[in-house]
């Protein structure tokens, strides 16, 4: 089964990427894998404090995932899978794509502000021709109705 890989983060545009991936997976008989990456600098403290912070980060990620998973299941009939990795976002994302051969499309949400589309899109665009899977960039400003019309 082809899976749509979506990166879960704290950005507003992440919501549109999640919606798009779920709608496409539902209409094509695919699945959704949600990847969240915990950056290592979040835990540059004493070992005990770092472990507590890591556990809290995982709890936050799982809480966000559960919200998206419920929506995907209730609205699209999709049961997404969560993967949590630790490290720098771009290398971890590429490693996940290489390790999971069922991933067929990377879906990222683009920010609408003056700061550009977001760091992952900016970095990946430079090497888009060598990515192991196609990348779909979902504009953060699209409405639910627009997303439904294109999926």
């Amino acid at each position: 089964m082809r899976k749509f890989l979506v990166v879960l983060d704290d950005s507003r545009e992440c919501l549109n990427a999640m919606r798009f991936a779920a709608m496409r997976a539902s209409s094509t008989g695919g699945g959704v894998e949600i990847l969240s990456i915990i950056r290592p600098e979040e835990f540059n403290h004493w070992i005990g404090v770092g472990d507590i912070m890591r556990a809290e980060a995982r709890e936050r990620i799982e809480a966000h995932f559960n919200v998206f998973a419920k929506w995907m299941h209730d609205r699209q009939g999709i049961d997404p899978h969560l993967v949590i990795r630790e490290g720098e976002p771009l290398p971890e994302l590429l490693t996940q794509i290489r390790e999971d051969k069922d991933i067929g499309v990377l879906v990222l949400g683009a920010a609408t502000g003056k700061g550009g589309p977001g760091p992952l899109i900016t970095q990946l665009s430079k090497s888009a021709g060598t990515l192991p899977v196609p990348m779909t960039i979902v504009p953060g400003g699209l409405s639910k109705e627009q997303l439904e019309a294109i999926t």
Side-chain angles (χ1 to χ4, degrees), residues 41-57:
E41 63 266 10
E42 293 180 35
F43 310 113
N44 286 339
H45 301 282
W46 295 296
I47 293 173
V49 174
D51 290 343
I52 292 168
M53 291 176 72
R54 184 176 288 109
E56 289 173 351

Side-chain angles (χ1 to χ4, degrees), residues 114-133:
K114 294 180 182 179
L120 276 178
I121 293 174
T122 301
Q123 292 172 331
L124 287 167
S125 295
K126 294 175 185 174
S127 60
T130 61
L131 290 176
V133 298

Side-chain angles (χ1 to χ4, degrees), residues 16 19 22-23 26-27 37-38 65 71 74 77 85 92 114 116-117 123 126 144 148:
N16 269 3
R19 286 179 176 149
M23 290 178 198
S26 179
S27 67
I37 302 165
I38 301 171
F65 169 77
W71 178 85
D74 293 350
R85 298 183 73 101
E92 292 300 327
K114 294 180 182 179
Q123 292 172 331
K126 294 175 185 174
K144 284 192 275 187
E148 289 170 358

Side-chain angles (χ1 to χ4, degrees), residues 87-144:
E88 292 300 322
L90 184 59
E92 292 300 327
L93 172 64
L94 294 173
T95 298
Q96 184 63 30
I97 292 170
R98 284 189 206 100
E99 288 179 356
D100 188 339
K101 301 300 182 197
D102 291 333
I103 294 172
V105 179
L106 170 62
V107 180
L108 297 172
T112 58
K114 294 180 182 179
L120 276 178
I121 293 174
T122 301
Q123 292 172 331
L124 287 167
S125 295
K126 294 175 185 174
S127 60
T130 61
L131 290 176
V133 298
M135 175 174 58
T136 299
I137 299 172
V138 182
L142 291 180
S143 68
K144 284 192 275 187

